[in-house]
Structure formats: structure tokens, C-alpha cells
């Protein structure tokens, strides 16, 4: 399994928006600049986060993005779903059926149960971590860098 870089970039975009004062927004161009990603890709990613009700898009010259939910209510899994969607990582292709020449009624793939259990395990880890918990960890480990980022946000935000 390999997640798209959009999941990681989306998580960090939301962590940046987490640092905004209540009534401020941050333009998409600024987010793109900070993430060092293409503006068009960043806009696409931000639209997915808006559709998932994780962030709000404020239109206009003084527009931008801000969190829609409190950081404690945004789970890493929510961000993953917004970008990747809900499809299962495993779908049996019938190899066991073909290999053993099984009848259709006998062809349940035993591998499905194992893959379902594995998928459930990683989902539970992503569901227990929130934007708030990750930000707390990052702020503690990289205090001076986070302060510099907060100063940058103050320069770029729109009230």
C-alpha cells in the first residue's frame, strides 16, 4: 500500500490552518508556497478537504481557507478519506478459484479476512490521532521552527 502524497500534504495544510486566529483565513497560494507544491495541485487537494467538511473556503480577494472543525475533532483518518476515498485496499481477483479450479460457491478467498483485519488495524491507528494531538507533538519537538511558521502565517493571513 502506498498513500498519495496528497494525504501528507493535506495533513500539513490542516496543521498550518490550525495555527490561524479564529477569524483569519490563509490563501491557497500561501499554503502551496509553504508546502512547496504546485498551486493547481494544492487547490485540488484543498477542494477535497472542503467537500469533506474539514475546512472552509472563503471566496473573494480577501478569501482563503480555514478549519471548519476544531482540531480535536479532525482525525488523521478523516483526512485520509478526503483524499484517498473509502475504497478497500484489497479486492480478491479470483486467483485461488482459478488455481484450485474451485466451484463458484467454494471460491471465497481466505486472504480477504486477513486483509480486512490488517486494514482495520491501520485504520484504527489513524482514527485515534487528531490534528490537535499531532500539532501538540510537532510544537513540542520543533518549538522554534513552529514559532517561525506562526510568524510566517501572521504575514500571509487575511483577516
Amino acid at each position: 500500500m502506498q498513500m498519495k502524497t496528497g494525504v501528507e500534504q493535506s495533513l500539513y495544510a490542516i496543521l498550518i490552518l490550525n495555527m490561524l486566529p479564529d477569524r483569519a483565513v490563509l490563501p491557497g497560494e500561501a499554503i502551496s508556497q509553504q508546502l512547496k507544491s504546485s498551486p493547481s495541485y494544492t487547490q485540488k487537494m484543498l477542494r477535497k478537504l472542503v467537500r469533506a467538511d474539514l475546512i472552509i473556503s472563503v471566496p473573494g480577494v480577501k478569501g482563503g481557507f480555514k478549519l471548519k472543525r476544531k482540531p480535536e475533532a479532525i482525525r488523521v483518518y478523516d483526512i485520509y478519506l478526503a483524499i484517498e476515498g473509502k475504497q478497500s485496499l484489497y479486492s480478491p481477483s479470483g486467483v485461488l478459484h482459478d488455481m484450485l479450479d474451485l466451484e463458484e460457491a467454494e471460491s471465497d478467498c481466505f486472504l480477504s479476512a486477513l486483509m480486512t483485519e490488517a486494514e482495520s488495524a491501520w485504520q484504527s491507528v489513524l482514527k485515534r490521532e487528531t490534528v490537535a494531538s499531532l500539532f501538540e507533538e510537532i510544537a513540542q519537538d520543533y518549538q522554534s521552527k513552529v514559532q517561525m511558521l506562526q510568524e510566517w502565517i501572521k504575514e500571509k493571513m487575511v483577516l
Side-chain angles (χ1 to χ4, degrees):
M1 172 186 97
Q2 184 170 353
M3 279 189 249
K4 297 175 188 148
T5 58
V7 174
E8 181 181 15
Q9 290 176 339
S10 296
L11 174 63
Y12 290 124
I14 286 180
L15 285 169
I16 290 169
L17 296 175
N18 174 61
M19 292 185 259
L20 286 172
D22 282 343
R23 296 185 180 219
V25 297
L26 194 61
E29 302 81 39
I31 296 169
S32 174
Q33 176 187 17
Q34 188 61 37
L35 296 176
K36 295 172 181 45
S37 65
S38 93
S40 62
Y41 184 78
T42 301
Q43 287 295 332
K44 178 180 167 184
M45 173 189 73
L46 292 170
R47 280 193 302 273
K48 287 182 177 184
L49 296 173
V50 169
R51 279 195 301 275
D53 282 334
L54 300 176
I55 66 175
I56 295 171
S57 173
V58 177
V61 177
K62 291 189 174 193
F65 297 90
K66 64 181 182 175
L67 292 183
K68 183 169 185 178
R69 299 188 206 167
K70 293 193 180 300
E72 300 82 20
I74 302 174
R75 301 171 304 163
V76 174
Y77 185 67
D78 299 328
I79 298 166
Y80 171 82
L81 283 180
I83 303 303
E84 293 280 348
K86 194 162 174 71
Q87 75 278 1
S88 180
L89 298 177
Y90 175 75
S91 177
S93 62
V95 173
L96 181 65
H97 176 270
D98 294 342
M99 182 177 77
L100 299 178
D101 195 28
L102 298 173
E103 296 295 323
E104 200 61 40
E106 301 177 298
S107 66
D108 283 346
C109 181
F110 70 93
L111 197 52
S112 290
L114 178 65
M115 293 302 187
T116 299
E117 182 182 352
E119 191 168 340
S120 178
W122 74 261
Q123 285 176 359
S124 69
V125 171
L126 296 182
K127 287 176 181 177
R128 79 170 176 236
E129 290 295 329
T130 66
V131 169
S133 66
L134 289 178
F135 181 75
E136 186 178 305
E137 215 174 302
I138 291 169
Q140 183 178 358
D141 290 351
Y142 305 103
Q143 188 175 13
S144 64
K145 297 290 186 179
V146 169
Q147 287 173 344
M148 288 172 40
L149 179 57
Q150 287 172 322
E151 290 301 318
W152 176 86
I153 289 169
K154 284 180 187 175
E155 294 173 14
K156 300 292 183 180
M157 70 183 186
V158 178
L159 293 173

